[in-house]
């Protein structure tokens, strides 16, 4: 009888302990999965779920705020993901927040990341749809790495070809590196440039010291003063010529527009005809006077008197 009571007591303690552990496990699992907190349901549409499954964590600013509740294929280019978000963090997640698939560590499970939105958008509400962005996956990184490796191979192959050509003396660069004649020519050109530079420095020093005509012209103040005086004289002569030209222009204007005798003789046809007729009349009068004098000289009376005078 006593053994039966001990057996029953042990069995009760075992059952009680197991039930307590079961309740404790359910509590911790529920707390981990946010089963005992108020939630709101939102969703988002992704192009590729990238291995996301129900029960994956949802993180906002590095903090777990919910779990993935549903993953369904809507079309060949869209996957709907349902999310359960804790009511406590609803005020921090905005309507314009963006959703992206991430990963816990390098080889961890997939998680859903929510990026912060703007303050003016307002907090999310039940059944809201958040915009998704395409995440950079390991496959994308591997494809980019393959592209970089392929390009590196091409570059290395080209460098190897260039190195072979240089070693075999092909091209100007190979000639410059492999042939001594090119190096000799470069040395000669360098020496010539150095000589030209030296001569140029000597010429500049002579000019600075006033040697030669150019140095005198640059440094001699007397030559500079003479040049200035010559320029001043040239300016005076130019001013006098300008004044003479102005007077000639005034004379030309008076001749063209004035009322004097020169203008009338030059431009008035009637005045010209009168002057011509006067000159003609004068010429005719002179001719008559000459003829009269000739007639008088040849007159017999004058000859008679002149003969008497000669005889006396």
């Amino acid at each position: 009888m006593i053994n039966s009571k001990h057996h029953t007591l042990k069995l009760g303690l075992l059952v009680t302990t197991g039930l307590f552990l079961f309740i404790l496990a359910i509590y911790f699992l529920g707390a981990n999965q946010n089963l005992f907190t108020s939630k709101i349901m939102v969703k988002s549409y992704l192009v590729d779920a990238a291995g996301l499954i129900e029960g994956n964590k949802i993180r906002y600013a590095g903090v777990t705020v919910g779990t993935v509740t549903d993953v369904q294929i809507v079309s060949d280019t869209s996957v709907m993901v349902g999310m359960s978000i804790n009511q406590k963090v609803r005020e921090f997640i905005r309507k314009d927040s963006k959703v992206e698939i991430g990963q816990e560590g390098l080889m961890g499970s997939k998680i859903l990341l929510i990026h912060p939105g703007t303050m003016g958008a307002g907090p999310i509400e039940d059944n809201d749809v958040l915009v998704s962005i395409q995440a950079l996956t390991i496959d994308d990184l591997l494809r980019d790495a393959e592209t970089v490796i392929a390009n590196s191979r091409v570059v290395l192959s080209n460098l190897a070809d260039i190195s072979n050509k240089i070693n075999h003396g092909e091209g100007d660069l190979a000639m410059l590196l492999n042939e001594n004649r090119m190096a000799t020519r470069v040395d000669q050109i360098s020496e010539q440039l150095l000589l030209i530079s030296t001569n140029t420095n000597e010429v500049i020093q002579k000019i600075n010291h006033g040697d030669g005509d150019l140095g005198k012209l640059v440094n001699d103040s007397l030559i500079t003063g003479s040049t200035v005086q010559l320029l001043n004289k040239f300016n005076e002569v130019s001013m006098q010529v300008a004044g003479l030209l102005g007077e000639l222009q005034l004379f030309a204007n008076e001749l063209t527009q004035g009322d004097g005798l020169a203008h009338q003789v030059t431009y008035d046809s009637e005045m010209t005809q009168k002057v011509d007729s006067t000159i003609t009349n004068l010429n005719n009068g002179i001719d008559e006077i000459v003829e009269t004098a000739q007639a008088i000289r040849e007159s017999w009376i004058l000859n008679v008197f002149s003969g008497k005078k000669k005889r006396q």
Side-chain angles (χ1 to χ4, degrees), residues 97-275:
S97 298
K98 293 179 175 57
V99 177
E100 180 184 8
I101 296 177
Q103 190 169 350
E104 286 186 322
L106 185 60
M107 302 298 293
S109 60
K110 298 291 183 180
I111 59 175
L112 203 62
L113 302 175
I114 300 178
H115 298 284
T118 58
M119 294 294 295
I124 58 173
E125 297 178 357
D126 204 16
N127 295 323
D128 277 347
V129 178
L130 300 181
V131 178
S132 64
I133 57 177
Q134 187 66 29
L136 185 63
T137 62
I138 299 296
D139 294 335
D140 296 331
L141 294 176
L142 291 176
R143 283 193 294 269
D144 293 340
E146 290 177 356
T147 303
V148 171
I149 292 172
N151 294 332
S152 300
R153 289 176 179 173
V154 174
V155 172
L156 291 175
S157 177
N158 293 333
L159 289 176
D161 292 338
I162 293 172
S163 178
N164 290 330
K165 290 181 179 180
I166 291 174
N167 291 331
H168 288 85
E170 299 178 5
D172 297 334
L173 181 59
M175 294 177 62
L176 182 62
L177 294 176
N178 297 321
E179 292 189 8
N180 294 327
R181 290 181 299 172
M182 295 294 296
T184 304
R185 292 292 302 276
V186 172
D187 292 337
Q188 291 176 355
I189 293 173
S190 300
E191 291 177 358
Q192 292 177 359
L193 291 176
L194 181 60
L195 180 61
I196 291 172
S197 177
T198 303
N199 294 333
T200 303
N201 290 330
E202 290 179 357
V203 171
I204 293 174
Q205 290 178 1
K206 288 182 178 180
I207 291 175
N208 291 332
H209 289 87
D211 298 335
D213 295 336
L214 183 59
K216 292 180 180 179
L217 182 61
V218 173
N219 299 310
D220 195 348
S221 60
L222 181 61
I223 295 177
T224 304
S226 300
T227 304
V228 172
Q229 292 179 359
L230 180 60
L231 292 176
N232 292 331
K233 291 292 184 180
F234 182 76
N235 290 330
E236 292 178 1
V237 172
S238 298
M239 293 176 63
Q240 293 177 359
V241 171
L244 180 59
L245 291 176
E247 293 178 358
L248 290 176
Q249 184 64 36
L250 292 175
F251 177 75
N253 292 334
E254 292 179 356
L255 181 63
T256 304
Q257 301 176 1
D259 297 331
L261 180 60
H263 175 269
Q264 292 180 1
V265 170
T266 304
Y267 295 98
D268 194 350
S269 59
E270 294 181 359
M271 186 66 181
T272 304
Q273 292 177 0
K274 291 180 180 180
V275 172

Side-chain angles (χ1 to χ4, degrees), residues 60-117:
Y60 176 82
V63 179
T64 301
V65 295
T67 57
V68 176
T69 58
D70 191 11
V71 179
Q72 294 182 4
I73 298 176
V74 178
S75 65
D76 57 349
T77 59
S78 179
V79 177
M80 190 276 293
V81 176
M83 294 171 281
S84 175
I85 307 297
N86 294 341
Q87 183 72 27
K88 295 180 181 179
V89 298
R90 184 186 73 87
E91 59 178 329
F92 303 106
I93 303 176
R94 306 297 172 179
K95 290 181 179 293
D96 59 350
S97 298
K98 293 179 175 57
V99 177
E100 180 184 8
I101 296 177
Q103 190 169 350
E104 286 186 322
L106 185 60
M107 302 298 293
S109 60
K110 298 291 183 180
I111 59 175
L112 203 62
L113 302 175
I114 300 178
H115 298 284

